[in-house]
Amino acid sequence: GISSVDQTFNNVLPNLMWRRKLSPRSTVNVFYRASTNFPSVTQLQDVVNNSNPLHITIGNPDLKQSYTNFLSGRYTFINTLKGQSFFANVFLQAANNYISNGLYINSSNVDSTIRPGVVLKPGSQLTKPINLDGYKSLRSFLTYSMPVKFIKSNLNLNAGFSYSRLPGFSNAVANVTNNYTYSTGIVMASNISEYVDFNLSYSVNFNDAKNNLQPTQNTHYVNQAAGIQMNLLTKVGWFLQNDVTNQSNSGLSAGYNQSFWLWNASVGKKFLKKKQGELKLSVFDLLKQNQSIVRSVTETYIEDSRSQVLQQYFMLTFTYSLKNFGTPARRSFGNGQQRGPGGGGMNF
């Protein structure tokens, strides 16, 4: 038969913003808002998807929308005389009726009938969206910047921490996955001249995922990235650009702990009046090593995946910049004629 879903929700969604200037160089901003997330049509449909007999999914017409409270804070300090700046950010979220997943795994040696027409084979699983309370997340980020005068550069130091609590349901037992990420990085950016520009960077993320119901799924993995960008420009308009990055992963599944180099380079010439035209030949992934590896941590599973990506290719581009629209003529009011200095009238 044909089933229909009819749901109506009424909510009050407040917003609040507060700002205070602590000193001529520092300010604090606080922002709060409430929001809702309505389930998708696929999640609401009471339809069984058994295209993969080992992983059957089914909708839930009784799903409710989730209600999220979001709070953020930002502290800013800027010393323009010394070229120093400091920023601190924190973001908090909590949700009621969080749309999660209920998981049932048939661990027996016989078929399990979920409902008429839905049979779960031994070792296969059924996933159904459900509403659960207890979702929380916290993200913080700090960054400090200062000049390094003897090499005419700017130094940027950053650090961050994030946490998320993902509630789930597995074989009728409440399940919680806690994710922790610790990150830090450093960037050295040049300020030498318009003809020489470089950027050195390094960042590392330490990730921990802990499952209170299935400790065997607890995992620790590390992502690192180091890179250098170098741009050289001559006074006659020739330029050379290089961007080299190394990315490495450790702690992932077998075959995914890889380290690879990504090298992009280009050469070109600026020409025409005021160097508004640019012709550039670029090559992407010069070493043919580009990879796309992603780890996904959910309330019911941890998955490592690799996507097929386009590796080495070349591109020829022409760019014309509209960066100067001329100087407007001076106008005077009263007699409709333009006057030079000393000619009287009001000039703009």
Side-chain angles (χ1 to χ4, degrees):
I2 299 176
S3 61
S4 63
V5 178
D6 185 5
Q7 296 198 39
T8 302
F9 298 98
N10 296 302
N11 291 288
V12 176
L13 303 175
N15 287 269
L16 174 67
M17 183 180 295
W18 178 79
R19 182 178 185 271
R20 182 177 178 83
K21 195 172 183 63
L22 302 179
S23 73
R25 297 175 178 173
S26 60
T27 58
V28 173
N29 293 272
V30 177
F31 177 75
Y32 165 80
R33 74 167 182 265
S35 62
T36 58
N37 180 33
F38 193 77
S40 67
V41 174
T42 301
Q43 292 174 321
L44 287 170
Q45 288 180 328
D46 190 20
V47 176
V48 177
N49 182 351
N50 57 3
S51 58
N52 182 356
L54 296 179
H55 188 181
I56 298 175
T57 61
I58 188 172
N60 181 2
D62 296 323
L63 274 181
K64 297 179 175 61
Q65 66 176 357
S66 64
Y67 189 96
T68 302
N69 294 288
F70 174 82
L71 178 67
S72 68
R74 177 182 176 89
Y75 171 79
T76 302
F77 173 84
I78 300 177
N79 187 335
T80 55
L81 294 178
K82 295 184 178 180
Q84 298 174 337
S85 63
F86 175 76
F87 301 94
N89 300 273
V90 61
F91 308 92
L92 299 169
Q93 283 191 86
N96 295 324
N97 285 326
Y98 173 72
I99 300 177
S100 181
N101 284 302
L103 176 67
Y104 174 72
I105 301 175
N106 184 5
S107 56
S108 67
N109 296 323
V110 297
D111 293 349
S112 175
T113 301
I114 304 302
R115 71 183 194 185
V118 182
V119 178
L120 206 60
K121 298 292 183 180
S124 57
Q125 64 184 33
L126 173 72
T127 301
K128 179 180 180 179
I130 57 176
N131 291 114
L132 293 175
D133 292 333
Y135 171 84
K136 298 176 182 179
S137 74
L138 179 151
R139 292 186 296 117
S140 62
F141 185 76
L142 310 174
T143 179
Y144 173 73
S145 180
M146 61 174 289
V148 183
K149 296 182 180 179
F150 72 95
I151 55 174
K152 296 182 179 180
S153 301
N154 294 317
L155 178 66
N156 180 285
L157 305 174
N158 61 76
F161 170 74
S162 65
Y163 164 76
S164 63
R165 182 183 188 273
L166 304 176
F169 218 65
S170 181
N171 283 24
V173 179
N175 177 38
V176 175
T177 299
N178 294 289
N179 294 316
Y180 306 85
T181 300
Y182 311 85
S183 61
T184 186
I186 181 172
V187 178
M188 180 72 75
S190 71
N191 189 24
I192 299 175
S193 73
E194 61 179 303
Y195 302 108
V196 178
D197 178 49
F198 69 84
N199 190 308
L200 302 173
S201 62
Y202 172 77
S203 64
V204 57
N205 295 326
F206 301 93
N207 307 272
D208 288 290
K210 299 180 180 180
N211 190 292
N212 70 328
L213 188 61
Q214 299 175 332
T216 56
Q217 289 193 3
N218 292 352
T219 179
H220 173 79
Y221 57 102
V222 180
N223 310 112
Q224 298 182 74
I228 177 172
Q229 294 81 39
M230 175 68 75
N231 300 320
L232 302 175
L233 173 67
T234 68
K235 292 183 178 181
V236 296
W238 287 99
F239 63 86
L240 177 66
Q241 299 173 339
N242 276 283
D243 184 349
V244 182
T245 304
N246 176 265
Q247 297 186 21
S248 61
N249 303 307
S250 61
L252 303 183
S253 306
Y256 291 87
N257 294 312
Q258 297 187 8
S259 175
F260 64 92
W261 291 89
L262 185 60
W263 182 8
N264 301 326
S266 59
V267 62
K269 178 74 164 61
K270 295 180 180 292
F271 55 98
L272 300 180
K273 185 180 180 181
K274 297 182 180 180
K275 301 294 191 293
Q276 290 178 272
E278 178 186 287
L279 187 65
K280 179 169 67 173
L281 177 64
S282 305
V283 54
F284 297 86
D285 192 15
L286 191 62
L287 303 178
K288 300 180 180 180
Q289 294 186 12
N290 193 16
Q291 303 285 337
S292 177
I293 297 175
V294 178
R295 163 159 286 193
S296 301
V297 178
T298 73
E299 61 276 357
T300 56
Y301 65 87
I302 297 175
E303 178 184 65
D304 292 331
S305 62
R306 180 190 290 111
S307 302
Q308 188 72 29
V309 294
L310 181 63
Q311 292 188 324
Q312 186 187 98
Y313 65 96
F314 295 81
M315 180 180 294
L316 181 65
T317 57
F318 170 74
T319 305
Y320 184 80
S321 301
L322 300 173
K323 56 184 178 181
N324 190 344
F325 293 93
T327 303
R330 300 175 63 191
R331 298 182 180 275
S332 62
F333 293 83
N335 57 9
Q337 296 180 351
Q338 180 176 335
R339 298 177 181 269
M346 184 179 293
N347 296 323
F348 290 83

